[in-house]
Amino acid sequence: MGNDRAKTRSHQAVLLANASQILTLWAPSPGPRRGPALKELSIIIGGAVLCFAGKIVSVGTTKEALRDLWLKKNRKTVTEIDCAGKVVLPGFVDSHTHPVFVNPRLVDFEKRIEGASYEQIASAGGGIRSSLDAVRNAPKKQLADTVLTAFRDMAAHGTTTVEAKSGYGLTLESELRSLAAIRDAASTWPGTAVATLLGAHVVPQEFQGRSQKYVELVCTEMIPRAAREKLAQFVDVFCDKGAFSPAQTEQIFAAAQANGLAVRAHMGQLSETTLAPFLRFKPASFDHMDHVSDSDVQQLAKNDTVATLVPGANYFLGLKDYPNARRLIDAGVPVALATDYNPGTSPTISMAMAMSLACTHMKMSPAEAIAAATINGAWALRLADRKGSIEPGKDADLAVFAVNDYREIPYWFGANRCTHTILNGILASGD
Ligand code: NIG
Ligand code: FE
């Protein structure tokens, strides 16, 4: 999504110099990172990155950067950031968030502490359905302000690209309003937002017992309008017990495809669904993936559909088990990490927190967590030609962390060590 203010201001040149480490994430082989390639960060010690007009111009050692003739001539016009003692990496690509909600779900929070499960709370009238009224009644401006606050908070924590879903309105009008709020927030934020229609989040109360009628509304009205009005790039479905069936998900994917929208889905969060039949729709990602069969793991290893793991949800629901990242990575499935920012299961905007959980509870190495949060997130959004690594010609999306060694990013959990974020060439300071 575009940003006029950002476009004019991005003509400034920015030099990040003297970094302890620059994690370029460059790789010789094309495609999403799998298996051993997931831990290749291609680190430059004592590095510098030069950005101009919103793009990365060069990356190398600081010595090399300072020999650049253009830089020598134009040094006075360049904004310089001394990154001594710091790590520079590609801005995080948070490829799964639900930021269009109004209220935190504090009653659900307390009920879970008292022992109720996510599904018990949902069937007793809490859960996603309890977030709908407030979104249905909120003016677009209020929703856009809320989303913009989340985007800014994310940027302060090192995120430069965000996938943002609708899904808490679940009427034609409120889903389109939610998507328009994402568009409006994106237009005043220098980062990059990718909008996803999640009209198929759950069946709303007024369609209870008539879920097929609701699926028709999603397929024949929501998807065509979102596509025609260019409000979404992706269509998502919560395919699980208590939400939408595999047959309904196929129907929704087919409608998305017919309207020129790409697809992704919440899969295997609460129960296992057979994934292979969906691969003909070339989904950009399957998200959660707590439950997945061996034969589907083998299928996914041969495809570019990314398994996006969201350990914040397991943490916040107080679950003992986490998605089996090792099994997926070791089989060759491309794995991404995302926050799943939402009021019910994962109220965090912090990618560093998601990475920390991936290291401590899913046995991903810090290097794997970094690649999953950057370049593979970019693959999950089909933006890897522009995002996710520090290479000349790519968008100038960078995060600077006040740590000497990248392994400290997931190590210092619960603290924000991000000092600067560059979003499409525009500097946002976390100081
Ligand atoms: O990704 N599972 C579906 N959607 C969200 C939860 C949404 C909510 O509880 O509000 C998730 O966990
Ligand atoms: Fe989600």
Side-chain angles (χ1 to χ4, degrees), residues 96-98 165 168 198 201 236 266 269 287-288 310 340-342 345:
H96 181 142
T97 84
H98 307 246
K165 305 173 198 293
Y168 290 111
L198 179 54
H201 204 179
D236 193 345
H266 287 66
Q269 181 179 12
D287 301 35
H288 286 274
V310 290
D340 194 11
Y341 174 60
N342 78 75
T345 67

Side-chain angles (χ1 to χ4, degrees), residues 46 52 132 189 254 280 348 399 401 409-410:
F52 184 71
L132 301 184
W189 186 57
R280 70 189 163 92
T348 180
F401 275 74
I409 296 172

